[in-house]
PDB file of all heavy atoms in Angstrom:
ATOM      1  N   ASP A1435     134.068  94.750 115.746  1.00  0.00           N
ATOM      2  CA  ASP A1435     133.989  93.586 116.637  1.00  0.00           C
ATOM      3  C   ASP A1435     133.122  92.533 115.981  1.00  0.00           C
ATOM      4  O   ASP A1435     131.904  92.566 116.098  1.00  0.00           O
ATOM      5  CB  ASP A1435     133.393  93.973 117.995  1.00  0.00           C
ATOM      6  CG  ASP A1435     134.263  94.958 118.736  1.00  0.00           C
ATOM      7  OD1 ASP A1435     135.493  94.895 118.559  1.00  0.00           O
ATOM      8  OD2 ASP A1435     133.714  95.789 119.457  1.00  0.00           O
ATOM      9  N   ASN A1436     133.758  91.614 115.273  1.00  0.00           N
ATOM     10  CA  ASN A1436     132.959  90.572 114.654  1.00  0.00           C
ATOM     11  C   ASN A1436     133.798  89.319 114.516  1.00  0.00           C
ATOM     12  O   ASN A1436     135.025  89.406 114.520  1.00  0.00           O
ATOM     13  CB  ASN A1436     132.339  91.087 113.348  1.00  0.00           C
ATOM     14  CG  ASN A1436     133.239  91.107 112.131  1.00  0.00           C
ATOM     15  OD1 ASN A1436     133.151  90.229 111.310  1.00  0.00           O
ATOM     16  ND2 ASN A1436     134.091  92.103 111.996  1.00  0.00           N
ATOM     17  N   PRO A1437     133.235  88.115 114.470  1.00  0.00           N
ATOM     18  CA  PRO A1437     131.798  87.902 114.339  1.00  0.00           C
ATOM     19  C   PRO A1437     131.064  88.265 115.625  1.00  0.00           C
ATOM     20  O   PRO A1437     131.642  88.236 116.704  1.00  0.00           O
ATOM     21  CB  PRO A1437     131.666  86.411 114.026  1.00  0.00           C
ATOM     22  CG  PRO A1437     132.887  85.793 114.613  1.00  0.00           C
ATOM     23  CD  PRO A1437     133.972  86.850 114.531  1.00  0.00           C
ATOM     24  N   ILE A1438     129.808  88.580 115.460  1.00  0.00           N
ATOM     25  CA  ILE A1438     128.985  88.948 116.607  1.00  0.00           C
ATOM     26  C   ILE A1438     127.558  88.482 116.367  1.00  0.00           C
ATOM     27  O   ILE A1438     127.086  88.442 115.236  1.00  0.00           O
ATOM     28  CB  ILE A1438     129.048  90.479 116.852  1.00  0.00           C
ATOM     29  CG1 ILE A1438     128.440  90.843 118.190  1.00  0.00           C
ATOM     30  CG2 ILE A1438     128.401  91.233 115.730  1.00  0.00           C
ATOM     31  CD1 ILE A1438     128.795  92.241 118.658  1.00  0.00           C
ATOM     32  N   ASP A1439     126.892  88.086 117.438  1.00  0.00           N
ATOM     33  CA  ASP A1439     125.499  87.672 117.343  1.00  0.00           C
ATOM     34  C   ASP A1439     124.606  88.902 117.401  1.00  0.00           C
ATOM     35  O   ASP A1439     124.869  89.843 118.150  1.00  0.00           O
ATOM     36  CB  ASP A1439     125.131  86.732 118.495  1.00  0.00           C
ATOM     37  CG  ASP A1439     125.809  85.375 118.371  1.00  0.00           C
ATOM     38  OD1 ASP A1439     126.173  84.992 117.246  1.00  0.00           O
ATOM     39  OD2 ASP A1439     125.979  84.703 119.393  1.00  0.00           O
ATOM     40  N   HIS A1440     123.574  88.886 116.589  1.00  0.00           N
ATOM     41  CA  HIS A1440     122.613  89.982 116.528  1.00  0.00           C
ATOM     42  C   HIS A1440     121.207  89.437 116.710  1.00  0.00           C
ATOM     43  O   HIS A1440     120.895  88.372 116.196  1.00  0.00           O
ATOM     44  CB  HIS A1440     122.654  90.687 115.161  1.00  0.00           C
ATOM     45  CG  HIS A1440     123.914  91.422 114.916  1.00  0.00           C
ATOM     46  ND1 HIS A1440     124.094  92.730 115.273  1.00  0.00           N
ATOM     47  CD2 HIS A1440     125.075  91.022 114.342  1.00  0.00           C
ATOM     48  CE1 HIS A1440     125.305  93.112 114.925  1.00  0.00           C
ATOM     49  NE2 HIS A1440     125.924  92.095 114.358  1.00  0.00           N
ATOM     50  N   GLU A1441     120.390  90.222 117.407  1.00  0.00           N
ATOM     51  CA  GLU A1441     118.977  89.887 117.467  1.00  0.00           C
ATOM     52  C   GLU A1441     118.297  90.547 116.273  1.00  0.00           C
ATOM     53  O   GLU A1441     118.547  91.706 115.967  1.00  0.00           O
ATOM     54  CB  GLU A1441     118.347  90.377 118.756  1.00  0.00           C
ATOM     55  CG  GLU A1441     116.888  89.958 118.864  1.00  0.00           C
ATOM     56  CD  GLU A1441     116.291  90.311 120.200  1.00  0.00           C
ATOM     57  OE1 GLU A1441     115.817  91.450 120.335  1.00  0.00           O
ATOM     58  OE2 GLU A1441     116.319  89.461 121.089  1.00  0.00           O
ATOM     59  N   VAL A1442     117.474  89.789 115.597  1.00  0.00           N
ATOM     60  CA  VAL A1442     116.764  90.267 114.418  1.00  0.00           C
ATOM     61  C   VAL A1442     115.275  90.154 114.685  1.00  0.00           C
ATOM     62  O   VAL A1442     114.809  89.121 115.162  1.00  0.00           O
ATOM     63  CB  VAL A1442     117.133  89.410 113.179  1.00  0.00           C
ATOM     64  CG1 VAL A1442     116.337  89.847 111.969  1.00  0.00           C
ATOM     65  CG2 VAL A1442     118.625  89.478 112.907  1.00  0.00           C
ATOM     66  N   LEU A1443     114.551  91.223 114.387  1.00  0.00           N
ATOM     67  CA  LEU A1443     113.093  91.161 114.429  1.00  0.00           C
ATOM     68  C   LEU A1443     112.635  90.959 113.000  1.00  0.00           C
ATOM     69  O   LEU A1443     112.967  91.736 112.113  1.00  0.00           O
ATOM     70  CB  LEU A1443     112.504  92.444 115.009  1.00  0.00           C
ATOM     71  CG  LEU A1443     112.853  92.708 116.466  1.00  0.00           C
ATOM     72  CD1 LEU A1443     112.287  94.048 116.909  1.00  0.00           C
ATOM     73  CD2 LEU A1443     112.338  91.599 117.358  1.00  0.00           C
ATOM     74  N   GLY A1444     111.913  89.897 112.759  1.00  0.00           N
ATOM     75  CA  GLY A1444     111.618  89.555 111.376  1.00  0.00           C
ATOM     76  C   GLY A1444     110.166  89.223 111.159  1.00  0.00           C
ATOM     77  O   GLY A1444     109.353  89.406 112.042  1.00  0.00           O
ATOM     78  N   PRO A1445     109.910  88.747 109.969  1.00  0.00           N
ATOM     79  CA  PRO A1445     110.888  88.300 108.985  1.00  0.00           C
ATOM     80  C   PRO A1445     111.631  89.467 108.342  1.00  0.00           C
ATOM     81  O   PRO A1445     111.100  90.561 108.205  1.00  0.00           O
ATOM     82  CB  PRO A1445     110.058  87.547 107.949  1.00  0.00           C
ATOM     83  CG  PRO A1445     108.699  88.127 108.049  1.00  0.00           C
ATOM     84  CD  PRO A1445     108.530  88.556 109.479  1.00  0.00           C
ATOM     85  N   LYS A1446     112.895  89.186 107.958  1.00  0.00           N
ATOM     86  CA  LYS A1446     113.746  90.211 107.377  1.00  0.00           C
ATOM     87  C   LYS A1446     114.714  89.560 106.396  1.00  0.00           C
ATOM     88  O   LYS A1446     115.226  88.482 106.660  1.00  0.00           O
ATOM     89  CB  LYS A1446     114.518  90.897 108.494  1.00  0.00           C
ATOM     90  CG  LYS A1446     115.236  92.135 108.085  1.00  0.00           C
ATOM     91  CD  LYS A1446     115.618  92.919 109.323  1.00  0.00           C
ATOM     92  CE  LYS A1446     114.343  93.481 109.913  1.00  0.00           C
ATOM     93  NZ  LYS A1446     114.445  94.167 111.120  1.00  0.00           N
ATOM     94  N   THR A1447     114.958  90.236 105.280  1.00  0.00           N
ATOM     95  CA  THR A1447     115.947  89.742 104.321  1.00  0.00           C
ATOM     96  C   THR A1447     117.344  90.197 104.748  1.00  0.00           C
ATOM     97  O   THR A1447     117.490  91.109 105.574  1.00  0.00           O
ATOM     98  CB  THR A1447     115.685  90.277 102.898  1.00  0.00           C
ATOM     99  OG1 THR A1447     115.860  91.702 102.901  1.00  0.00           O
ATOM    100  CG2 THR A1447     114.295  89.902 102.397  1.00  0.00           C
ATOM    101  N   ILE A1448     118.346  89.584 104.142  1.00  0.00           N
ATOM    102  CA  ILE A1448     119.723  90.010 104.392  1.00  0.00           C
ATOM    103  C   ILE A1448     119.865  91.483 104.029  1.00  0.00           C
ATOM    104  O   ILE A1448     120.447  92.263 104.780  1.00  0.00           O
ATOM    105  CB  ILE A1448     120.704  89.151 103.584  1.00  0.00           C
ATOM    106  CG1 ILE A1448     120.707  87.711 104.111  1.00  0.00           C
ATOM    107  CG2 ILE A1448     122.111  89.745 103.618  1.00  0.00           C
ATOM    108  CD1 ILE A1448     121.470  86.718 103.259  1.00  0.00           C
ATOM    109  N   ARG A1449     119.315  91.882 102.897  1.00  0.00           N
ATOM    110  CA  ARG A1449     119.383  93.278 102.444  1.00  0.00           C
ATOM    111  C   ARG A1449     118.806  94.228 103.495  1.00  0.00           C
ATOM    112  O   ARG A1449     119.397  95.253 103.828  1.00  0.00           O
ATOM    113  CB  ARG A1449     118.627  93.426 101.126  1.00  0.00           C
ATOM    114  CG  ARG A1449     118.591  94.836 100.584  1.00  0.00           C
ATOM    115  CD  ARG A1449     117.796  94.960  99.294  1.00  0.00           C
ATOM    116  NE  ARG A1449     117.857  93.981  98.420  1.00  0.00           N
ATOM    117  CZ  ARG A1449     118.690  93.387  97.523  1.00  0.00           C
ATOM    118  NH1 ARG A1449     119.379  93.612  97.292  1.00  0.00           N
ATOM    119  NH2 ARG A1449     118.800  92.484  96.750  1.00  0.00           N
ATOM    120  N   GLU A1450     117.637  93.907 104.032  1.00  0.00           N
ATOM    121  CA  GLU A1450     116.996  94.751 105.051  1.00  0.00           C
ATOM    122  C   GLU A1450     117.835  94.802 106.321  1.00  0.00           C
ATOM    123  O   GLU A1450     117.983  95.868 106.933  1.00  0.00           O
ATOM    124  CB  GLU A1450     115.601  94.216 105.361  1.00  0.00           C
ATOM    125  CG  GLU A1450     114.631  94.373 104.213  1.00  0.00           C
ATOM    126  CD  GLU A1450     113.358  93.559 104.395  1.00  0.00           C
ATOM    127  OE1 GLU A1450     113.386  92.480 105.041  1.00  0.00           O
ATOM    128  OE2 GLU A1450     112.328  94.000 103.865  1.00  0.00           O
ATOM    129  N   PHE A1451     118.370  93.662 106.713  1.00  0.00           N
ATOM    130  CA  PHE A1451     119.199  93.598 107.915  1.00  0.00           C
ATOM    131  C   PHE A1451     120.446  94.470 107.767  1.00  0.00           C
ATOM    132  O   PHE A1451     120.782  95.247 108.656  1.00  0.00           O
ATOM    133  CB  PHE A1451     119.573  92.141 108.200  1.00  0.00           C
ATOM    134  CG  PHE A1451     120.562  91.979 109.311  1.00  0.00           C
ATOM    135  CD1 PHE A1451     120.200  92.225 110.622  1.00  0.00           C
ATOM    136  CD2 PHE A1451     121.861  91.575 109.050  1.00  0.00           C
ATOM    137  CE1 PHE A1451     121.111  92.079 111.662  1.00  0.00           C
ATOM    138  CE2 PHE A1451     122.776  91.417 110.067  1.00  0.00           C
ATOM    139  CZ  PHE A1451     122.399  91.670 111.376  1.00  0.00           C
ATOM    140  N   LEU A1452     121.140  94.347 106.633  1.00  0.00           N
ATOM    141  CA  LEU A1452     122.347  95.135 106.410  1.00  0.00           C
ATOM    142  C   LEU A1452     122.033  96.626 106.356  1.00  0.00           C
ATOM    143  O   LEU A1452     122.778  97.450 106.893  1.00  0.00           O
ATOM    144  CB  LEU A1452     123.056  94.684 105.131  1.00  0.00           C
ATOM    145  CG  LEU A1452     123.628  93.269 105.171  1.00  0.00           C
ATOM    146  CD1 LEU A1452     124.220  92.898 103.825  1.00  0.00           C
ATOM    147  CD2 LEU A1452     124.647  93.113 106.288  1.00  0.00           C
ATOM    148  N   ARG A1453     120.926  96.977 105.744  1.00  0.00           N
ATOM    149  CA  ARG A1453     120.508  98.386 105.687  1.00  0.00           C
ATOM    150  C   ARG A1453     120.297  98.922 107.114  1.00  0.00           C
ATOM    151  O   ARG A1453     120.713 100.034 107.435  1.00  0.00           O
ATOM    152  CB  ARG A1453     119.231  98.514 104.866  1.00  0.00           C
ATOM    153  CG  ARG A1453     118.842  99.950 104.565  1.00  0.00           C
ATOM    154  CD  ARG A1453     117.604 100.051 103.683  1.00  0.00           C
ATOM    155  NE  ARG A1453     117.770  99.324 102.434  1.00  0.00           N
ATOM    156  CZ  ARG A1453     116.874  98.482 101.927  1.00  0.00           C
ATOM    157  NH1 ARG A1453     115.724  98.278 102.528  1.00  0.00           N
ATOM    158  NH2 ARG A1453     117.100  97.866 100.789  1.00  0.00           N
ATOM    159  N   GLU A1454     119.660  98.126 107.960  1.00  0.00           N
ATOM    160  CA  GLU A1454     119.454  98.518 109.370  1.00  0.00           C
ATOM    161  C   GLU A1454     120.767  98.763 110.087  1.00  0.00           C
ATOM    162  O   GLU A1454     120.857  99.604 110.969  1.00  0.00           O
ATOM    163  CB  GLU A1454     118.721  97.394 110.119  1.00  0.00           C
ATOM    164  CG  GLU A1454     117.269  97.577 110.229  1.00  0.00           C
ATOM    165  CD  GLU A1454     116.642  96.481 111.082  1.00  0.00           C
ATOM    166  OE1 GLU A1454     117.340  95.768 111.823  1.00  0.00           O
ATOM    167  OE2 GLU A1454     115.427  96.340 110.991  1.00  0.00           O
ATOM    168  N   LYS A1455     121.789  97.997 109.723  1.00  0.00           N
ATOM    169  CA  LYS A1455     123.100  98.107 110.366  1.00  0.00           C
ATOM    170  C   LYS A1455     123.952  99.212 109.759  1.00  0.00           C
ATOM    171  O   LYS A1455     125.079  99.438 110.169  1.00  0.00           O
ATOM    172  CB  LYS A1455     123.859  96.775 110.295  1.00  0.00           C
ATOM    173  CG  LYS A1455     123.162  95.650 111.021  1.00  0.00           C
ATOM    174  CD  LYS A1455     123.024  95.973 112.488  1.00  0.00           C
ATOM    175  CE  LYS A1455     122.268  94.906 113.243  1.00  0.00           C
ATOM    176  NZ  LYS A1455     121.928  95.318 114.591  1.00  0.00           N
ATOM    177  N   GLY A1456     123.413  99.900 108.725  1.00  0.00           N
ATOM    178  CA  GLY A1456     124.125 101.012 108.115  1.00  0.00           C
ATOM    179  C   GLY A1456     125.169 100.599 107.096  1.00  0.00           C
ATOM    180  O   GLY A1456     126.032 101.400 106.734  1.00  0.00           O
ATOM    181  N   ILE A1457     125.106  99.371 106.617  1.00  0.00           N
ATOM    182  CA  ILE A1457     126.068  98.871 105.638  1.00  0.00           C
ATOM    183  C   ILE A1457     125.487  99.095 104.241  1.00  0.00           C
ATOM    184  O   ILE A1457     124.446  98.542 103.907  1.00  0.00           O
ATOM    185  CB  ILE A1457     126.364  97.374 105.881  1.00  0.00           C
ATOM    186  CG1 ILE A1457     126.936  97.207 107.282  1.00  0.00           C
ATOM    187  CG2 ILE A1457     127.300  96.830 104.811  1.00  0.00           C
ATOM    188  CD1 ILE A1457     127.018  95.773 107.754  1.00  0.00           C
ATOM    189  N   PRO A1458     126.146  99.919 103.423  1.00  0.00           N
ATOM    190  CA  PRO A1458     125.606 100.236 102.097  1.00  0.00           C
ATOM    191  C   PRO A1458     125.563  99.011 101.186  1.00  0.00           C
ATOM    192  O   PRO A1458     126.510  98.235 101.117  1.00  0.00           O
ATOM    193  CB  PRO A1458     126.579 101.272 101.533  1.00  0.00           C
ATOM    194  CG  PRO A1458     127.520 101.619 102.610  1.00  0.00           C
ATOM    195  CD  PRO A1458     127.393 100.612 103.693  1.00  0.00           C
ATOM    196  N   GLU A1459     124.472  98.879 100.493  1.00  0.00           N
ATOM    197  CA  GLU A1459     124.280  97.727  99.612  1.00  0.00           C
ATOM    198  C   GLU A1459     125.348  97.656  98.530  1.00  0.00           C
ATOM    199  O   GLU A1459     125.807  96.576  98.172  1.00  0.00           O
ATOM    200  CB  GLU A1459     122.894  97.803  98.977  1.00  0.00           C
ATOM    201  CG  GLU A1459     122.522  96.571  98.210  1.00  0.00           C
ATOM    202  CD  GLU A1459     121.076  96.602  97.737  1.00  0.00           C
ATOM    203  OE1 GLU A1459     120.256  97.322  98.317  1.00  0.00           O
ATOM    204  OE2 GLU A1459     120.791  95.880  96.779  1.00  0.00           O
ATOM    205  N   ASP A1460     125.784  98.805  98.026  1.00  0.00           N
ATOM    206  CA  ASP A1460     126.775  98.786  96.955  1.00  0.00           C
ATOM    207  C   ASP A1460     128.174  98.398  97.435  1.00  0.00           C
ATOM    208  O   ASP A1460     129.076  98.184  96.622  1.00  0.00           O
ATOM    209  CB  ASP A1460     126.810 100.118  96.205  1.00  0.00           C
ATOM    210  CG  ASP A1460     127.210 101.295  97.064  1.00  0.00           C
ATOM    211  OD1 ASP A1460     127.400 101.140  98.289  1.00  0.00           O
ATOM    212  OD2 ASP A1460     127.340 102.402  96.515  1.00  0.00           O
ATOM    213  N   ALA A1461     128.369  98.275  98.752  1.00  0.00           N
ATOM    214  CA  ALA A1461     129.650  97.822  99.293  1.00  0.00           C
ATOM    215  C   ALA A1461     129.716  96.297  99.404  1.00  0.00           C
ATOM    216  O   ALA A1461     130.773  95.728  99.637  1.00  0.00           O
ATOM    217  CB  ALA A1461     129.894  98.449 100.661  1.00  0.00           C
ATOM    218  N   VAL A1462     128.566  95.644  99.251  1.00  0.00           N
ATOM    219  CA  VAL A1462     128.471  94.192  99.441  1.00  0.00           C
ATOM    220  C   VAL A1462     128.524  93.476  98.095  1.00  0.00           C
ATOM    221  O   VAL A1462     127.777  93.801  97.180  1.00  0.00           O
ATOM    222  CB  VAL A1462     127.158  93.837 100.175  1.00  0.00           C
ATOM    223  CG1 VAL A1462     126.967  92.340 100.258  1.00  0.00           C
ATOM    224  CG2 VAL A1462     127.152  94.464 101.562  1.00  0.00           C
ATOM    225  N   ALA A1463     129.420  92.485  98.009  1.00  0.00           N
ATOM    226  CA  ALA A1463     129.532  91.710  96.769  1.00  0.00           C
ATOM    227  C   ALA A1463     128.998  90.294  96.932  1.00  0.00           C
ATOM    228  O   ALA A1463     128.338  89.776  96.047  1.00  0.00           O
ATOM    229  CB  ALA A1463     130.987  91.657  96.310  1.00  0.00           C
ATOM    230  N   ILE A1464     129.291  89.667  98.061  1.00  0.00           N
ATOM    231  CA  ILE A1464     128.931  88.257  98.250  1.00  0.00           C
ATOM    232  C   ILE A1464     128.322  88.056  99.632  1.00  0.00           C
ATOM    233  O   ILE A1464     128.862  88.528 100.634  1.00  0.00           O
ATOM    234  CB  ILE A1464     130.161  87.344  98.102  1.00  0.00           C
ATOM    235  CG1 ILE A1464     130.757  87.473  96.693  1.00  0.00           C
ATOM    236  CG2 ILE A1464     129.808  85.886  98.392  1.00  0.00           C
ATOM    237  CD1 ILE A1464     132.081  86.774  96.511  1.00  0.00           C
ATOM    238  N   CYS A1465     127.213  87.326  99.664  1.00  0.00           N
ATOM    239  CA  CYS A1465     126.561  86.937 100.912  1.00  0.00           C
ATOM    240  C   CYS A1465     126.633  85.407 101.018  1.00  0.00           C
ATOM    241  O   CYS A1465     126.200  84.710 100.102  1.00  0.00           O
ATOM    242  CB  CYS A1465     125.098  87.362 100.928  1.00  0.00           C
ATOM    243  SG  CYS A1465     124.828  89.127 100.743  1.00  0.00           S
ATOM    244  N   ILE A1466     127.148  84.934 102.127  1.00  0.00           N
ATOM    245  CA  ILE A1466     127.205  83.503 102.401  1.00  0.00           C
ATOM    246  C   ILE A1466     126.360  83.253 103.648  1.00  0.00           C
ATOM    247  O   ILE A1466     126.589  83.861 104.689  1.00  0.00           O
ATOM    248  CB  ILE A1466     128.656  83.024 102.674  1.00  0.00           C
ATOM    249  CG1 ILE A1466     129.593  83.407 101.533  1.00  0.00           C
ATOM    250  CG2 ILE A1466     128.689  81.534 102.969  1.00  0.00           C
ATOM    251  CD1 ILE A1466     129.409  82.645 100.258  1.00  0.00           C
ATOM    252  N   CYS A1467     125.373  82.389 103.525  1.00  0.00           N
ATOM    253  CA  CYS A1467     124.512  82.062 104.661  1.00  0.00           C
ATOM    254  C   CYS A1467     124.596  80.557 104.907  1.00  0.00           C
ATOM    255  O   CYS A1467     124.295  79.770 103.994  1.00  0.00           O
ATOM    256  CB  CYS A1467     123.080  82.492 104.387  1.00  0.00           C
ATOM    257  SG  CYS A1467     121.997  82.326 105.820  1.00  0.00           S
ATOM    258  N   ASN A1468     125.056  80.186 106.083  1.00  0.00           N
ATOM    259  CA  ASN A1468     125.202  78.777 106.460  1.00  0.00           C
ATOM    260  C   ASN A1468     126.029  78.004 105.441  1.00  0.00           C
ATOM    261  O   ASN A1468     125.739  76.862 105.111  1.00  0.00           O
ATOM    262  CB  ASN A1468     123.831  78.130 106.656  1.00  0.00           C
ATOM    263  CG  ASN A1468     122.995  78.857 107.681  1.00  0.00           C
ATOM    264  OD1 ASN A1468     123.513  79.365 108.675  1.00  0.00           O
ATOM    265  ND2 ASN A1468     121.711  78.971 107.431  1.00  0.00           N
ATOM    266  N   GLY A1469     127.064  78.676 104.906  1.00  0.00           N
ATOM    267  CA  GLY A1469     127.983  78.024 103.988  1.00  0.00           C
ATOM    268  C   GLY A1469     127.590  78.057 102.528  1.00  0.00           C
ATOM    269  O   GLY A1469     128.342  77.593 101.677  1.00  0.00           O
ATOM    270  N   ASP A1470     126.430  78.618 102.197  1.00  0.00           N
ATOM    271  CA  ASP A1470     125.968  78.674 100.808  1.00  0.00           C
ATOM    272  C   ASP A1470     125.906  80.118 100.323  1.00  0.00           C
ATOM    273  O   ASP A1470     125.422  81.000 101.042  1.00  0.00           O
ATOM    274  CB  ASP A1470     124.566  78.071 100.673  1.00  0.00           C
ATOM    275  CG  ASP A1470     124.538  76.586 100.985  1.00  0.00           C
ATOM    276  OD1 ASP A1470     125.482  75.876 100.598  1.00  0.00           O
ATOM    277  OD2 ASP A1470     123.560  76.144 101.629  1.00  0.00           O
ATOM    278  N   LYS A1471     126.357  80.351  99.094  1.00  0.00           N
ATOM    279  CA  LYS A1471     126.234  81.679  98.497  1.00  0.00           C
ATOM    280  C   LYS A1471     124.752  81.930  98.217  1.00  0.00           C
ATOM    281  O   LYS A1471     124.075  81.088  97.622  1.00  0.00           O
ATOM    282  CB  LYS A1471     127.037  81.761  97.204  1.00  0.00           C
ATOM    283  CG  LYS A1471     127.039  83.144  96.597  1.00  0.00           C
ATOM    284  CD  LYS A1471     127.909  83.198  95.359  1.00  0.00           C
ATOM    285  CE  LYS A1471     127.817  84.585  94.744  1.00  0.00           C
ATOM    286  NZ  LYS A1471     128.586  84.674  93.501  1.00  0.00           N
ATOM    287  N   VAL A1472     124.265  83.085  98.677  1.00  0.00           N
ATOM    288  CA  VAL A1472     122.842  83.401  98.545  1.00  0.00           C
ATOM    289  C   VAL A1472     122.660  84.837  98.070  1.00  0.00           C
ATOM    290  O   VAL A1472     123.570  85.651  98.135  1.00  0.00           O
ATOM    291  CB  VAL A1472     122.091  83.208  99.888  1.00  0.00           C
ATOM    292  CG1 VAL A1472     122.126  81.762 100.345  1.00  0.00           C
ATOM    293  CG2 VAL A1472     122.646  84.134 100.965  1.00  0.00           C
TER     294      VAL A1472
END
């Protein structure tokens, strides 16, 4: 079910957030934040 809004307790990096959600880092190739590759 996505896109979906998430509450984040931070500060937190994208890497930390994805790890919390159970998404393996080696499965991720590209991160886009607010339209910019980051």
Side-chain angles (χ1 to χ4, degrees):
D1435 296 329
N1436 80 101
I1438 192 165
D1439 290 336
H1440 292 270
E1441 183 174 86
V1442 177
L1443 295 177
K1446 191 164 290 176
T1447 65
I1448 292 171
R1449 178 182 323 289
E1450 292 166 330
F1451 173 70
L1452 294 176
R1453 189 177 304 132
E1454 263 185 16
K1455 298 299 177 190
I1457 300 169
E1459 188 173 338
D1460 62 356
V1462 174
I1464 299 171
C1465 301
I1466 305 289
C1467 188
N1468 303 324
D1470 295 321
K1471 185 177 177 183
V1472 297

